[in-house]
Amino acid sequence: MTPFRLLLVEDSVNDAALVTAELVQAGYQPTARRVETLEALRDALATGGPWDLVLCDYRLPRFNALDVLALLHAQGRDVPLIVLSSQLSEDQAVTLMKAGARDCFSKDRLARLGPAVARELEETRVRRERARAEVDRDILARASELLTASLEQAARLDQLVQLMVPRVADWCAFFLQDPDQGGLRLVALAHPDAERRAHAWKLDQRFPLDPMAAAGPSHVLRTGQPEFMPDVRQRPVPITKDAAHQRAIEGLGLRSVVNVPLPGNEGRLGVLSMGTLGERTLAPVDLALAQELARRTGLVLENARLFQEAREAVRLRDEFLTVAAHELRTPLTTLRLQLGTLLQRSEAHKLEPEVVTRLERSVRQVRRLGTLVEGLLDVSQLSSGELSLMPERFDLEELVAEVLERYQAEARAAGCELRQSPRRGLWGTWDRLRVDQAVAALISNALKFGPGRPVEVDVGREGGFARIQVRDRGIGVPVDQVERIFERFGRAVSSHSYGGLGLGLYLARRAAEAHGGRAWAEPATGEGARFTLELPLEKESRE
C-alpha cells in the first residue's frame, strides 16, 4: 500500500467513501481530509501540512472547481488537482484543464482514478525533488557566502539558521560546546514566532541539556552520530530524565527533528538542530542538507578557532619580544659605554694592537646586538600600530655617507668595498632615524650575503621620489622569494648558514611605506641582487 496525503473537496459523504474505497483497491493508503467549503479548504491548506493530491467535485454549494484552482494558485501551492463530476461537458473540461486541472473525468468512471493518481504522484515527486534540489543549492550557496563573510561568529550563526526557516524547517538552532559548563548551550535560534523564540531561549536557560542524555543534541555531540526522527512522538526514549523538562519539550509541539554534529579537527564543536511543528515532517533529504551545512559550518568555526589561537600566540610572542628587548637595552648600553671607555684609554696607554683589535670587534658586536634589540622594539611597535614618524629636513646623500662610514669596519671584516655614487645633494623631509635604519638594513644585508665582493650604493632622483639602490654581488635572491624576504621574520636561506632575525628588510619596507614610499628587491644582471628604497620628495622640491 502506497501512503499519500489527500485533500478531498466533496460535499457528499457517500461519494467520498466511494473515492477512498477505489484508491484502496488501487493499492493506495490515503490519509484523507474532507472539506465542503472554501473556508474549510483555506484552513486545511494553512494547517494541514503538505498535501500530495486534491480530488475535487466540479460543483459544490456556493463554489466550484475553478474557485479551488484559483485559491491554490493564489497561495502558490504545488498540489495537483483532479476534478471528479457526475456531469461535465467537454467545454467545461477544457476550461478546467486550461485553468490548471491535471485531469477531469466522471464519477461513474472511477476505474481511471488509480492510474491518474499514480501518474500525478510520480510527476509531483519528480517536480518537488527538482525544486528541492534548487532550494538546497541556493541555501548552501548563500551559506557559503555567509561563512566566508567578515562577520562575528554570533551574527554568522544567526543568519545561517534563518536560511532554513521556513523553506526547510519550522525552526533551526545551533548548540555549541560550553567549555565552562562542559555541555551544550544554545547560541542561535530561528523561528517565525517571536513568542516561541523567547520561550525556547528561556527553556534553554532553565533546563540545560543533560550531557548524558540518551537522545537529542547532547547524545549526538557525545556519539558523533546524526539523529533523524520523522515523528518525535515515536521516540523510544525521552530526551531527558527531568519530568518538568520533558513536559516543557513536549509543550513545544515538535513533530520531526534532525540533529547533526558540527565536526572539528579535535572533536565535535556543537550540534545543528532543526525540526517541524504540527503536521509538517522532515525527510532523509533534509538530513543530508543539515549534514552538509554542519560540515561547512564546522570547518569555518574550526578555522576561526585556529586563527584566534594564532593571533593569541603572535600577541604573546610580541609581548615577549617587547619585554626581552627592554630588558636587554640597559645591560647593552652599559657594556657599550664600558667598551668605549676602554678604547679611549687604550689610545692613551698604547695597548697592544691585538687587544685594541679585539676591543673594536667587541664594540661592533655590541652595536650589532643593539641594532637587533631596536629592531625587536620596532616590530613590537608595528604590531600595535603604524610606525611613528618625526620628520625633519636633511640631505639624504649625507645620511647615506654617514651610514657607510659606520659600516666601514664591518665591510673590511667581510672583505667588501663600499662604493657610493658621486654626491650632488638631495634634500627632503623624512624621519632621519627611520631612514637611517632602513639604509643600514640594506647595507648590512648586502655585506652579509655578498662577502668578498664590492657593494655599490647609488642615491638619485626618479620623478617625484628619491631612490637609494644597494647592489651586491652575492648569492642573489630567487625570483619566488623577492617578496618573502620583506616579511616579518622572513628569509630566503637557512638561519643556520646566515644569522639575523629576518627583521631588517621588513622594517626597511615598513619605514618606506610609513613615508608613502616603497622598498623592493630584484635579481641583478649577472649575479647578486639590487635592493631599492624609494621615498617621496617634498612637494616644493617636486614642483
Side-chain angles (χ1 to χ4, degrees):
M1 303 290 284
T2 303
F4 74 100
R5 291 177 52 78
L6 171 64
L7 186 55
L8 190 56
V9 185
E10 175 62 69
D11 60 339
S12 170
V13 176
N14 291 334
D15 287 353
L18 289 174
V19 169
T20 303
E22 181 63 31
L23 290 172
V24 171
Q25 186 175 354
Y28 292 97
Q29 186 180 359
T31 300
R33 179 172 175 177
R34 187 176 67 87
V35 297
E36 299 182 12
T37 65
L38 281 177
E39 290 73 17
L41 176 60
R42 289 192 184 92
D43 180 69
L45 292 173
T47 63
W51 298 100
D52 297 314
L53 182 67
V54 176
L55 293 180
C56 180
D57 195 354
Y58 173 67
R59 192 180 303 280
L60 294 93
R62 297 189 297 278
F63 72 101
N64 59 30
L66 288 173
D67 298 315
V68 175
L69 284 168
L71 180 58
L72 291 174
H73 292 163
Q75 295 191 5
R77 303 284 180 168
D78 179 24
V79 186
L81 180 141
I82 296 177
V83 178
L84 305 174
S85 178
S86 300
Q87 295 181 348
L88 190 66
S89 68
E90 184 175 344
D91 290 341
Q92 290 171 331
V94 170
T95 301
L96 286 167
M97 297 295 286
K98 288 182 177 180
R102 303 297 299 174
D103 206 344
C104 303
F105 48 85
S106 174
K107 289 181 179 178
D108 58 7
R109 301 180 62 188
L110 285 181
R112 290 182 52 188
L113 184 59
V117 168
R119 181 191 68 240
E120 294 307 322
L121 290 181
E122 177 61 19
E123 290 183 2
T124 301
R125 181 190 67 79
V126 173
R127 188 168 61 254
R128 287 180 176 176
E129 284 183 356
R130 290 175 179 171
R132 177 53 194 270
E134 287 293 329
V135 169
D136 288 358
R137 282 194 292 269
D138 180 60
I139 288 176
L140 292 177
R142 294 175 62 189
S144 296
E145 293 177 2
L146 290 173
L147 288 169
T148 54
S150 56
L151 298 172
E152 292 295 329
Q153 176 175 294
R156 183 184 290 136
L157 295 181
D158 279 336
Q159 294 189 32
L160 283 174
V161 292
Q162 294 183 37
L163 290 178
M164 309 294 282
V165 178
R167 301 173 74 183
V168 177
D170 294 322
W171 59 269
C172 185
F174 276 113
F175 295 89
L176 294 184
Q177 281 208 50
D178 189 338
D180 296 329
Q181 299 182 1
L184 287 172
R185 60 183 177 88
L186 181 64
V187 297
L189 173 67
H191 190 283
D193 189 334
E195 291 186 6
R196 287 201 175 190
R197 282 200 308 273
H199 178 66
W201 282 106
K202 292 179 180 178
L203 191 65
D204 179 71
Q205 295 174 359
R206 182 183 176 189
F207 300 107
L209 294 175
D210 180 7
M212 301 308 296
S218 294
H219 180 72
V220 170
L221 179 71
R222 191 173 66 254
T223 63
Q225 298 299 316
E227 180 185 54
F228 172 44
M229 293 296 300
D231 191 341
V232 296
R233 296 171 297 185
Q234 300 176 4
R235 190 191 294 273
V237 293
I239 195 173
T240 176
K241 296 180 181 179
D242 188 324
H245 189 188
Q246 186 64 33
R247 286 195 299 271
I249 292 175
E250 292 172 355
L252 295 174
L254 303 178
R255 179 62 182 273
S256 288
V257 169
V258 163
N259 292 304
V260 294
L262 300 177
N265 292 338
E266 299 178 358
R268 291 167 285 278
L269 306 176
V271 173
L272 168 62
S273 182
M274 66 181 188
T276 59
L277 309 172
E279 297 297 322
R280 186 180 183 184
T281 59
L282 296 174
V285 65
D286 301 307
L287 171 62
L289 174 62
Q291 287 178 305
E292 178 60 22
L293 180 60
R295 184 189 69 80
R296 298 187 184 192
T297 304
L299 178 62
V300 171
L301 293 180
E302 182 70 12
N303 289 340
R305 181 186 67 82
L306 294 175
F307 177 69
Q308 187 61 35
E309 290 180 356
R311 289 181 61 182
E312 180 64 15
V314 170
R315 185 187 67 80
L316 292 174
R317 183 194 65 187
D318 289 341
E319 286 184 1
F320 168 77
L321 292 178
T322 302
V323 173
H326 277 292
E327 291 297 322
L328 288 170
R329 239 178 176 180
T330 300
L332 281 175
T333 302
T334 303
L335 181 58
R336 185 169 61 248
L337 291 173
Q338 294 294 333
L339 289 173
T341 302
L342 289 175
L343 271 177
Q344 291 175 358
R345 291 181 179 179
S346 68
E347 296 177 0
H349 294 79
K350 296 182 180 181
L351 296 178
E352 296 180 6
E354 183 181 353
V355 174
V356 175
T357 301
R358 290 186 178 183
L359 283 174
E360 290 176 344
R361 188 177 302 162
S362 298
V363 169
R364 288 197 302 271
Q365 293 302 320
V366 170
R367 187 182 295 123
R368 181 168 176 268
L369 281 174
T371 302
L372 293 177
V373 169
E374 294 302 322
L376 291 177
L377 285 173
D378 284 339
V379 168
S380 301
Q381 182 180 359
L382 284 169
S383 299
S384 59
E386 292 297 321
L387 276 176
S388 59
L389 300 179
M390 299 180 63
E392 60 178 289
R393 183 173 169 79
F394 60 89
D395 183 353
L396 185 61
E397 290 185 323
E398 180 182 341
L399 180 141
V400 172
E402 291 176 3
V403 175
L404 290 175
E405 180 63 29
R406 290 205 311 268
Y407 275 88
Q408 285 298 334
E410 186 173 334
R412 286 194 297 270
C416 297
E417 178 188 357
L418 292 177
R419 302 173 182 171
Q420 182 179 0
S421 59
R423 293 170 56 180
R424 297 176 296 273
L426 184 57
W427 288 78
T429 301
W430 306 287
D431 185 308
R432 189 182 188 96
L433 175 61
R434 297 301 179 189
V435 176
D436 185 299
Q437 288 177 329
V439 174
L442 298 185
I443 294 174
S444 175
N445 185 77
L447 295 176
K448 181 192 302 183
F449 294 102
R453 305 288 184 89
V455 174
E456 298 173 356
V457 182
D458 179 65
V459 183
R461 184 195 306 263
E462 185 70 28
F465 293 87
R467 274 190 179 180
I468 304 169
Q469 290 189 326
V470 178
R471 162 73 189 275
D472 67 68
R473 290 172 173 78
I475 62 175
V477 183
V479 176
D480 60 344
Q481 298 291 324
V482 292
E483 286 300 316
R484 175 175 172 75
I485 59 176
F486 284 96
E487 296 175 0
R488 184 165 52 171
F489 304 108
R491 43 174 74 248
V493 295
S494 170
S495 60
H496 297 292
S497 303
Y498 297 89
L501 297 176
L503 294 176
L505 295 180
Y506 167 73
L507 293 171
R509 170 171 282 185
R510 292 304 301 269
E513 292 173 346
H515 284 87
R518 59 194 182 115
W520 69 92
E522 53 191 333
T525 304
E527 58 181 352
R530 179 185 293 108
F531 290 81
T532 303
L533 182 70
E534 190 174 74
L535 300 171
L537 291 165
E538 54 192 349
K539 182 179 179 182
E540 58 271 20
S541 174
R542 292 202 301 270
E543 291 175 350

